[in-house]
Amino acid sequence: MPASSVAIADAGTAELNGNSFSQPFTAQRRYLPVFDLQSMSELKVTVVPKGITSSSLDRSRDNFDYQIDIAVQKKVPTQIAAIDLLMRLVEEIGDYFRSNPLASYPVARCTNVENTPVYALDHLQELRQFTSVLTLTF
C-alpha cells in the first residue's frame, strides 16, 4: 500500500486522465517534473506529492492535510491567445478538483486550491515555456 500522499497523487492523476478538459493531455505522476526542452512542444501535466500537515484534534485523533502539485507546462509562442488557452486549462483543472471528490480515494476531499503565481514569468521569458502550478490540499 503506498503512502497516503502518493495514493492521493495517483487518484488525482486518474481523475485528470479520466475526464475531458479543453485541451487533451495525459497526466503523469512524478517526483520531478523536469523535461527536455525539445519535448515541451507537447502539453505536459504532471502530478507531484508536495506536503503533509498534521494537527491534533484531541488525545486520540489527528487531522491530516495532504498537498499535491499539478504542473501544466508547454513551450508556447508569446502570443496572448496561446497563453490564454493554457490559463483557461489551469482554471478548469482547479475548478474540477474543487467540485469533485477523488473517485479512487473518496475519503480525501479537496479543501483548497492555490495558484500563486498563476504562471512562472521566468520560464516564459527565458524558455518561452508556459509553466503554472496548482497546489491542491486534501
Side-chain angles (χ1 to χ4, degrees), residues 22-34:
S22 61
Q23 295 185 51
F25 61 84
T26 300
Q28 295 182 314
R29 182 181 62 83
R30 292 179 166 236
Y31 287 105
L32 188 61
V34 176

Side-chain angles (χ1 to χ4, degrees), residues 7-77:
I8 291 169
D10 284 340
T13 304
E15 291 293 324
L16 290 168
N17 289 334
N19 289 283
S20 295
F21 295 93
S22 61
Q23 295 185 51
F25 61 84
T26 300
Q28 295 182 314
R29 182 181 62 83
R30 292 179 166 236
Y31 287 105
L32 188 61
V34 176
F35 301 97
D36 182 356
L37 197 54
Q38 281 82 21
S39 72
M40 294 310 295
S41 59
E42 177 186 323
L43 178 61
K44 306 279 187 195
V45 176
T46 311
V47 181
V48 179
K50 180 181 184 176
I52 304 168
T53 304
S54 66
S55 56
S56 293
L57 296 174
D58 58 35
R59 289 183 187 180
S60 62
R61 296 181 306 148
D62 293 319
N63 181 61
F64 291 91
D65 288 333
Y66 296 91
Q67 289 184 322
I68 62 171
D69 279 345
I70 299 176
V72 176
Q73 300 173 287
K74 185 176 183 182
K75 190 167 181 66
V76 294

